[in-house]
Amino acid sequence: MADNKTRNLSDVFRKVVPELSAKGREIFSDAADLTLRIDREHRIAEVGCRLPRLYKKRDIYALENQIKEAYELSQMRILTHYPAELFSMDYMGEILTEAARVGVVVSGFFDKYELEQDGETIVIRIPFTQGGITLLNLAETARIIEGIIYSEFSISVHIQIEKTADAEQQYAEYVAKQMERLNSESAHISAEYERMMQEAERAQSM
């Protein structure tokens, strides 16, 4: 592992500097205490950096892709570290975005959620029945979210995933909408099939 704490991102990734967006330049300028890991054989690069303010994951990911393309890497990761006092419930959406990126079972489950913090415990309530909660527990989703928060802010929190009070009702409404969609599609398919059969009959009678 190369220690690059005295260098900045512009020193490490000079090739992309002329093409940086305004947000990319901000990140390059803010990043400090760099740690760089490179696997030349597999063309993988990973850089850890400390940032004094929060950035959207989409901006970090865009910068990763730009560096990846410029250096023809198979994988590029920027591991962000922030002061602990910057963490708040407002940032949980970004944490969930990162959880999805690393392959945790979150896609579709956290499109809607409620947050509540009680000391070191963060409760995430989602409109899914117990079956969905069990799936998330089996995948250790909460533990991985805790790990992401610790990695970025060096603070320990306990994540608890629960169903919302109206989860059963919302699930029933979801199923009803899905059935309505399927019935509509089925009717359309039947009508299209009937039309095709009539066309075939007319063609045969000519």
Side-chain angles (χ1 to χ4, degrees):
M1 178 179 71
D3 188 346
N4 295 271
K5 291 187 176 182
T6 60
R7 307 171 71 186
N8 57 42
L9 286 178
S10 297
D11 295 326
V12 178
F13 300 112
R14 297 177 184 176
K15 190 182 295 186
V16 302
V17 172
E19 307 300 326
L20 288 175
S21 64
K23 189 61 67 175
R25 291 182 185 280
E26 287 181 17
I27 297 171
F28 263 47
S29 176
D30 278 349
D33 296 339
L34 304 189
T35 56
L36 182 64
R37 297 176 178 84
I38 296 178
D39 182 337
R40 298 186 186 281
E41 179 182 356
H42 298 98
R43 303 198 64 77
I44 296 173
E46 178 183 285
V47 60
C49 63
R50 184 163 297 280
L51 295 165
R53 49 181 166 163
L54 298 175
Y55 282 95
K56 296 286 187 182
K57 291 299 179 184
R58 64 171 180 265
D59 295 321
I60 298 296
Y61 298 163
L63 188 54
E64 288 177 343
N65 288 331
Q66 190 172 6
I67 295 171
K68 177 182 174 181
E69 292 176 5
Y71 288 89
E72 299 180 347
L73 301 172
S74 61
Q75 182 175 305
M76 171 65 205
R77 290 289 181 265
I78 297 176
L79 306 180
T80 55
H81 305 290
Y82 300 104
E85 59 270 19
L86 293 184
F87 178 74
S88 71
M89 291 298 94
D90 292 338
Y91 191 74
M92 281 301 296
E94 302 299 315
I95 296 293
L96 293 174
T97 297
E98 179 68 7
R101 199 268 284 268
V102 300
V104 184
V105 179
V106 296
S107 295
F109 282 94
F110 296 94
D111 293 343
K112 292 175 60 179
Y113 57 87
E114 301 170 2
L115 294 173
E116 179 183 337
Q117 185 170 14
D118 182 10
E120 296 181 353
T121 298
I122 297 174
V123 180
I124 308 176
R125 295 189 177 93
I126 55 176
F128 278 82
T129 55
Q130 192 56 45
I133 302 298
T134 299
L135 176 61
L136 293 173
N137 290 338
L138 289 172
E140 297 191 340
T141 302
R143 305 291 79 79
I144 296 172
I145 292 173
E146 290 171 0
I148 293 172
I149 295 173
Y150 185 81
S151 173
E152 294 203 22
F153 295 93
S154 299
I155 59 176
S156 297
V157 298
H158 175 64
I159 297 295
Q160 191 170 315
I161 302 175
E162 302 177 354
K163 61 181 181 180
T164 55
D166 60 348
E168 303 291 342
Q169 177 185 342
Q170 290 201 40
Y171 182 71
E173 292 175 354
Y174 169 79
V175 171
K177 288 180 180 178
Q178 290 296 98
M179 289 301 298
E180 182 180 346
R181 180 181 64 82
L182 290 173
N183 289 336
S184 177
E185 291 179 355
S186 177
H188 174 75
I189 292 172
S190 296
E192 184 64 14
Y193 176 77
E194 183 66 25
R195 185 192 66 77
M196 291 174 62
M197 292 298 294
Q198 291 175 358
E199 288 288 341
E201 290 176 2
R202 282 196 291 269
Q204 290 178 357
S205 63
M206 289 183 176

